Amino acid sequence: MSFTNTIVFIHVLAAIIWLGGMFFIALVMVLPVLKNFETHQKRIEVLSATARRFRVVSLVAIPILLITGVLNAVNRGVTAEMISNGSLFLSYFGNILTVKVMLVFIVLVLSTIHDFILGPRLIDLQSSSTSNPDSYLGIKKNRTYVSWLARINALMAILVVACAVILS
């Protein structure tokens, strides 16, 4: 396998792990599995543990994606000069690559908000709900935010994959 193919393989593998994990949590854990737990506290514990573990996986996969993404662009002929003088943006490849990079940035920002702000806030609210009956509305509101943010992030991730397919 050539260096270029190895870099592409590592990039695709890291994308599968990261995006696959995102979709696994959303489609398998949150929807069907967690609803089967009898106690509210058990749902919180399992989701929290899964989120913490996946966060570690993400923190490994994301830098690999960023590094291999840059190497893939360089292997396709992208140079710093092309970016600085704007010639990259005059080609179809350059335009799709630009859209992909912007979408990746959006996914990273949304993931950061979800994983480090809204997700932990929701878990904290749910954990304290047994001692504070007024927190129901806060939980409902935050669950809606987390849910919609995850859906938008999933859509953005699908668009990143679509851009990758176009670029291949």
Side-chain angles (χ1 to χ4, degrees):
M1 190 180 313
S2 70
F3 176 75
T4 300
N5 288 342
T6 302
I7 296 302
V8 170
F9 176 78
I10 293 169
H11 189 74
V12 170
L13 185 61
I16 290 169
I17 291 168
W18 184 40
L19 298 176
M22 285 172 50
F23 285 103
F24 173 81
I25 289 172
L27 299 174
V28 176
M29 286 297 299
V30 173
L31 297 176
V33 171
L34 291 178
K35 290 184 179 188
N36 291 327
F37 285 112
E38 291 184 23
T39 68
H40 178 70
Q41 188 59 36
K42 188 65 174 172
R43 283 192 290 262
I44 294 168
E45 289 171 13
V46 170
L47 183 57
S48 183
T50 303
R52 278 193 309 274
R53 179 66 187 123
F54 183 66
R55 191 173 300 132
V56 171
V57 171
S58 295
L59 291 174
V60 172
I62 291 169
I64 291 171
L65 283 166
L66 295 174
I67 292 166
T68 57
V70 169
L71 291 173
N72 283 332
V74 169
N75 288 337
R76 295 286 300 265
V78 175
T79 64
E81 182 182 349
M82 292 172 71
I83 296 168
S84 65
N85 70 19
S87 64
L88 175 66
F89 311 111
L90 300 176
S91 68
Y92 179 74
F93 175 84
N95 288 329
I96 298 299
L97 183 61
T98 302
V99 169
K100 182 182 177 189
V101 169
M102 290 188 312
L103 288 168
V104 166
F105 178 76
I106 291 168
V107 168
L108 289 173
V109 169
L110 293 178
S111 293
T112 300
I113 293 168
H114 180 276
D115 294 351
F116 295 103
I117 300 170
L118 294 181
R121 182 185 303 156
L122 179 58
I123 289 171
D124 289 344
L125 282 170
Q126 289 176 328
S127 296
S128 67
S129 68
T130 55
S131 61
N132 183 2
D134 294 330
S135 64
Y136 173 76
L137 290 177
I139 291 171
K140 186 175 180 183
K141 181 178 171 183
N142 276 277
R143 189 179 294 143
T144 301
Y145 290 155
V146 169
S147 176
W148 276 104
L149 184 69
R151 289 175 184 148
I152 293 167
N153 207 25
L155 175 62
M156 296 296 114
I158 290 168
L159 293 174
V160 168
V161 171
C163 287
V165 169
I166 293 168
L167 290 171
S168 64

